[in-house]
Each structure stands twice: as structure tokens, then as C-alpha cells.
Amino acid sequence: MSAPTTANPTLSPDDIHWIPTSIVERVSFGDLFTSQGPVTVDYGCGEGAFVLAMAKRHPTHNFLATERLALRVEKVCKTAARMHLRNIRVLRLENLYVARFILPLNAVSTSYVSFPDPWPKRAHQSRRLVQPEFLTAVRETLVPGGELRLKTDDLPYFRWMEKVIAESEGWDRTNWPEEPELPRTNFEARFIAQGLPIHSTILRKRAAELSPPLI
Ligand SMILES: C[S@@+](CC[C@H](N)C(=O)[O-])C[C@H]1O[C@@H](n2cnc3c(N)ncnc32)[C@H](O)[C@@H]1O
């Protein structure tokens, strides 16, 4: 699992595509990225417009994008290489598995879940990404005060998220304020062009409460 070196002036898609040497050990971000900096994870990045724009805009931050579809992974890696982005890696692996088994604990600054597949049929709702075990796994990867930012166009799924959030401990929930400067995801651009409303929320990981000192 070598990180692309700063000495090498050219980047290839293979430098961006991260194939872990182990899928039973958590990675160290020091091994994954060429320089230190806050890490953002984009779960289910799709074609990557958002994470690529963020990586370009924040060269001192690091970005990990996950995606299960090979062609999308390939596309994001090719674009990142063309853009000379050394601060982004793309992992083709299932989101829950990544949060639960691959990412280091207490290490991620911000995580994004943007327009996850809504699985509208009742029989398929167990396939939705936002489930109690996903929130727990993501919380464990975040630094105290780190954020999970959720966005969807699908109101029934948003209501589902709110229920799951209400039952998930260790978060402070806040509204996601308007951030006109924030790059749009591919799906977001499409939905906004169609005039559809977007539902969003931010969960902030609560710092572990310290026990009062024994007197
Ligand atoms: C509706 S698209 C949204 C893509 C992107 N976030 C956006 O807003 O443009 C959902 C993406 O998540 C990916 N995906 C769905 N389930 C996944 C999973 N369990 N693990 C990793 N990726 C997943 C899909 O392949 C798809 O690219």
C-alpha cells in the first residue's frame, strides 16, 4: 500500500486507486497519504465531482473516496491523476466494511454520505446504508468533534435517517447551514437542476465524557 511519492512528478490512476494489502487490519493514514493533514471520507463517491473538487480546493487536507462500482472508481482515479491530485485515494470496497474494519479509529475529521441509494421498496430497506451499525462504525472512526454530513433528495429516506439518528448515541445533531461555496456532487447537481429539494443534516461526534476526579 504505497502512497504516491512527492518526488515522482507524474501521477497515474494506479497511484490513486488504493488496493489495501490487508482487509483485516485498519490502515494508518500516515501510510496511505504522502503528507499529514485532516482526512475527509466520501462514502459512495459515485463519479467523484465533489471529492475531486474538494481535494483540489484543499491541498493540505487528505481525501478518501469509497465506491463499489469498478467503472466509477476507474473514472475518479483517472480524473484525479489528470488533475495531479496527490491528496486523494479511492477505495473500491463496501461502505460499512470500510468504516467498520478498514479506517483507523478516532482519525477522520469529516465524513460525507451524499445521496445514498434510497431503496424505496419496504422489502429492500435493510439495504439502506444509514443503519445503526453504520452510524456506530462511522462515529468510531471520527475524531472527537468530527462530523458526519448526510444529504439526500429522498424525503422518506431522510425520515428514516432521522429515526436511526435519534436512536444512535454519542452525537450532537445540527442543521447543515447553506454553504454556497461547497462543491456539488454529481447527483446533487442533477437534482438541483430539476428543482428538487435537498434534505441534509450534520452529526457531530461528542467527545467522550470524562469521569469526575475521585476526591
Ligand atoms: C446515488 S449514488 C450518489 C453518488 C455521489 N455521492 C453523488 O452524490 O453524486 C450512490 C453511490 O453509492 C455507491 N454505493 C452504493 N452502495 C454502496 C456500498 N454499500 N458501498 C460503496 N458504495 C456504494 C453506488 O455505486 C453509487 O455510486
Side-chain angles (χ1 to χ4, degrees):
M1 158 216 336
S2 61
T5 63
T6 42
N8 179 358
T10 58
L11 266 187
S12 86
D14 288 346
D15 293 323
I16 311 289
H17 188 180
W18 172 37
I19 301 175
T21 47
S22 166
I23 56 159
V24 292
E25 280 169 291
R26 293 182 183 274
V27 68
S28 149
F29 285 150
D31 293 336
L32 187 59
F33 295 106
T34 47
S35 46
Q36 285 189 347
V39 176
T40 292
V41 178
D42 187 14
Y43 288 99
C45 69
E47 297 191 341
F50 171 73
V51 74
L52 290 162
M54 289 288 278
K56 182 168 185 206
R57 196 173 287 184
H58 302 284
T60 59
H61 292 207
N62 291 314
F63 294 84
L64 176 66
T66 68
E67 174 53 52
R68 74 188 165 117
L69 294 183
L71 286 179
R72 292 186 179 174
V73 168
E74 204 179 304
K75 182 171 180 178
V76 182
C77 292
K78 275 188 186 161
T79 311
R82 232 184 3 252
M83 292 169 72
H84 309 290
L85 297 174
R86 294 180 182 278
N87 58 340
I88 177 171
R89 304 300 303 268
V90 185
L91 172 61
R92 185 179 175 212
L93 203 54
E94 198 277 323
N95 287 323
L96 174 61
Y97 192 91
V98 174
R100 205 181 239 177
F101 299 117
I102 300 294
L103 295 180
L105 301 174
N106 301 305
V108 174
S109 294
T110 313
S111 290
Y112 287 87
V113 172
S114 306
F115 307 94
D117 296 334
W119 295 109
K121 288 187 185 158
R122 185 173 286 273
H124 294 161
Q125 287 179 346
S126 62
R127 299 181 193 175
R128 286 177 168 170
L129 176 61
V130 178
Q131 306 279 353
E133 55 273 30
F134 180 69
L135 291 193
T136 300
V138 171
R139 183 162 40 75
E140 289 179 353
T141 68
L142 288 170
V143 297
E147 291 181 353
L148 169 60
R149 299 169 147 227
L150 298 152
K151 242 182 211 183
T152 179
D153 61 305
D154 189 274
L155 186 57
Y157 193 6
F158 190 66
R159 295 286 175 243
W160 164 285
M161 289 180 186
E162 292 189 302
K163 267 194 200 147
V164 176
I165 290 167
E167 288 160 14
S168 176
E169 291 184 0
W171 301 103
D172 291 315
R173 183 177 165 192
T174 61
N175 288 333
W176 190 334
E178 282 287 310
E179 286 182 287
E181 299 303 313
L182 198 68
R184 288 180 180 164
T185 76
N186 299 84
F187 272 70
E188 187 169 26
R190 229 177 280 167
F191 294 137
I192 287 176
Q194 292 169 23
L196 294 174
I198 309 287
H199 313 283
S200 63
T201 193
I202 293 181
L203 303 183
R204 192 163 296 130
K205 177 176 171 172
R206 229 176 260 157
E209 279 157 36
L210 297 173
S211 317
L214 295 173
I215 302 175

